[in-house]
Amino acid sequence: MLAKVYFLPITDGLAPEEQAKALEKLYIACGAAKAVTGKDFVAIKLHVGEKKNTTHVKPELIRVLADKIKEDKAMPFMTETSTLYKGERENAVKHLLHAHRHGFTIDNVGAPFIMADGLVGNTEQEVAIPGELHDSVKVAREILSADALFVVSHPTGHPAAGLGACIKNLGMGLASRMGKMRQHSAMLPEVLTEKCKFCQKCLKWCPKDAIIEKEGRAYIQTEKCIGCGECLAMCRFDAVKYDWGAESGYMQKSMAEHAFGVIQGKQGKIICFNILVDMTKDCDCFNVAQPKLIPDIGLLASTDPVAIDMATLDLTAKAHGKNLAEMSYSRLDAMVQIEHAAKVGMGSMQYELITVE
């Protein structure tokens, strides 16, 4: 049976309030309520954008989902994880304050914001998967406690993966810090001695006692290091360096397998929404106000993360000759993540597009 992807076209430049009305119509048309039963904890995975980002999905749309979920007597909450890089979302305290500044408050949305990976990104659980790269993946623990998962993704280009959409939102967005490290870097960390103050926090938190003192600075013993990212999380002086240049194909496959781990045990309890508006060359993690790359297309909904990302590429290609990934980073093959996700059993690349009037 073909996966079903529901598509509601919209005109370019709709105000967030009008986008929200369209999302409510799509919610009803795709039968999203079937994923929710009374008293469920329902996680709404979103991205609040970095400090200067203006193109992320707005709180008005998240409010629609929270209200519809509450109509079914369930309990929605917004959720995210901390970033590896330094910025407004590197830990739970900064992330939540920043989310509030961007309007993702209880008053505006009608649901609380709960970080899925704890204070500094290391609250995690190992999930077994039938992967090719991994037998198990590190997932943000609180997401596993949720009964249902609504994934709200804003498709953009991505400098390492070509495409950032539903698979990335799941795999990178809901992995723990260690899970993110596995995806991002094939190299182990090193300490920049000129920046190290030898505060010894990294020594205390290293789970493998891989960090020692050397000439008055912290030093990482690579033979013991497991690449978990604890030192990066705890350092306040930007003294820990990673090589972020992991080969794109490996990173995309690892990202897809982490996404597969996130949805384990949630069959029939996951709904994906891709919001094809304000699409930009780079993802919302960039701390800049980016120009829109292409005119708005519409909103998508599906229970299949693979199919919805495939439809995103197809619809952008149909409208503009090249798909979103090709327009953003033509040197990268974004199909790697989609094909690998389908190969390991996460979803289907074959789908039926159902247009909602």
Side-chain angles (χ1 to χ4, degrees):
M1 181 182 295
L2 293 177
K4 293 183 179 180
V5 179
Y6 293 82
F7 173 47
L8 196 157
I10 63 172
T11 57
D12 185 44
L14 280 185
E17 295 80 8
E18 295 303 313
Q19 293 177 18
K21 291 177 183 178
L23 182 59
E24 182 174 15
K25 183 183 294 186
L26 183 64
Y27 183 104
I28 296 168
C30 77
K34 295 177 182 177
V36 179
T37 55
K39 297 186 179 181
D40 274 356
F41 288 120
V42 183
I44 304 175
K45 171 61 175 77
L46 46 77
H47 190 311
V48 303
E50 264 298 336
K51 185 175 182 179
K52 296 179 182 178
N53 176 267
T54 59
T55 48
H56 55 273
V57 176
K58 302 302 187 291
E60 289 87 343
L61 283 76
I62 307 303
R63 176 74 193 222
V64 164
L65 299 181
D67 286 347
K68 299 302 289 184
I69 290 166
K70 287 188 288 187
E71 285 179 10
D72 291 311
K73 311 302 181 184
M75 293 174 280
F77 64 96
M78 296 177 282
T79 196
E80 248 285 30
T81 59
S82 295
T83 60
L84 287 177
Y85 61 83
K86 299 296 181 181
E88 295 301 312
R89 301 180 300 123
E90 65 185 85
N91 59 53
V93 174
K94 293 182 70 175
H95 203 141
L96 291 174
L97 289 172
H98 175 64
H100 281 211
R101 287 192 292 270
H102 273 192
F104 295 91
T105 65
I106 292 179
D107 287 344
N108 285 347
V109 176
F113 204 126
I114 299 173
M115 294 295 288
D117 59 350
L119 183 61
V120 294
N122 59 1
T123 302
E124 63 188 11
Q125 187 166 324
E126 193 91 19
V127 177
I129 60 165
E132 291 187 359
L133 303 180
H134 311 292
D135 295 324
S136 63
V137 292
K138 297 284 191 180
V139 173
R141 189 184 69 191
E142 300 310 322
I143 208 65
L144 301 178
S145 298
D147 301 294
L149 175 60
F150 281 42
V151 191
V152 183
S153 306
H154 175 226
T156 65
H158 191 274
L163 174 71
C166 186
I167 293 172
K168 176 182 176 289
N169 200 12
L170 284 166
M172 202 172 291
L174 287 176
S176 66
R177 186 172 297 277
M178 184 184 288
K180 290 181 175 68
M181 281 304 311
R182 287 180 179 177
Q183 296 170 63
H184 270 106
S185 182
M187 302 294 290
L188 296 177
E190 63 176 306
V191 174
L192 302 174
T193 55
E194 67 274 15
K195 291 188 175 183
C196 178
K197 307 298 183 184
F198 199 52
C199 65
Q200 302 187 44
K201 279 192 174 183
C202 59
L203 277 72
K204 177 181 177 182
W205 284 92
C206 180
K208 293 295 182 180
D209 296 322
I211 306 177
I212 60 173
E213 182 272 335
K214 186 175 181 180
E215 299 179 355
R217 298 290 186 269
Y219 176 79
I220 300 172
Q221 303 173 92
T222 56
E223 67 274 13
K224 289 185 177 182
C225 179
I226 60 174
C228 67
E230 287 287 350
C231 52
L232 181 66
M234 301 312 300
C235 183
R236 295 294 176 269
F237 304 101
D238 296 333
V240 180
K241 176 185 176 182
Y242 278 88
D243 177 4
W244 301 107
E247 190 267 328
S248 176
Y250 177 89
M251 194 211 75
Q252 290 189 63
K253 290 179 180 180
S254 182
M255 185 173 72
E257 292 192 10
H258 280 77
F260 196 26
V262 168
I263 67 171
Q264 293 298 302
K266 287 188 168 54
Q267 289 77 10
K269 303 291 286 184
I270 178 171
I271 301 292
C272 309
F273 296 95
N274 278 10
I275 312 300
L276 277 61
V277 304
D278 293 328
M279 291 173 281
T280 54
K281 178 181 178 180
D282 290 307
C283 61
D284 296 335
C285 297
F286 279 58
N287 187 25
V288 293
Q290 300 181 60
K292 186 159 58 176
L293 187 63
I294 56 179
D296 301 338
I297 292 176
L299 314 181
L300 295 175
S302 181
T303 59
D304 188 320
V306 180
I308 199 169
D309 278 2
M310 190 72 244
T312 294
L313 290 182
D314 289 343
L315 285 168
T316 53
K318 181 179 179 180
H320 303 286
K322 293 182 178 181
N323 68 44
L324 178 60
E326 292 169 337
M327 285 184 279
S328 300
Y329 289 94
S330 59
R331 62 181 173 82
L332 302 177
D333 182 8
M335 285 301 298
V336 171
Q337 58 184 281
I338 295 175
E339 290 171 351
H340 192 71
K343 186 177 182 181
V344 298
M346 185 176 170
S348 173
M349 294 171 58
Q350 306 301 316
Y351 63 91
E352 174 189 3
L353 189 69
I354 302 169
T355 301
V356 178
E357 301 297 338

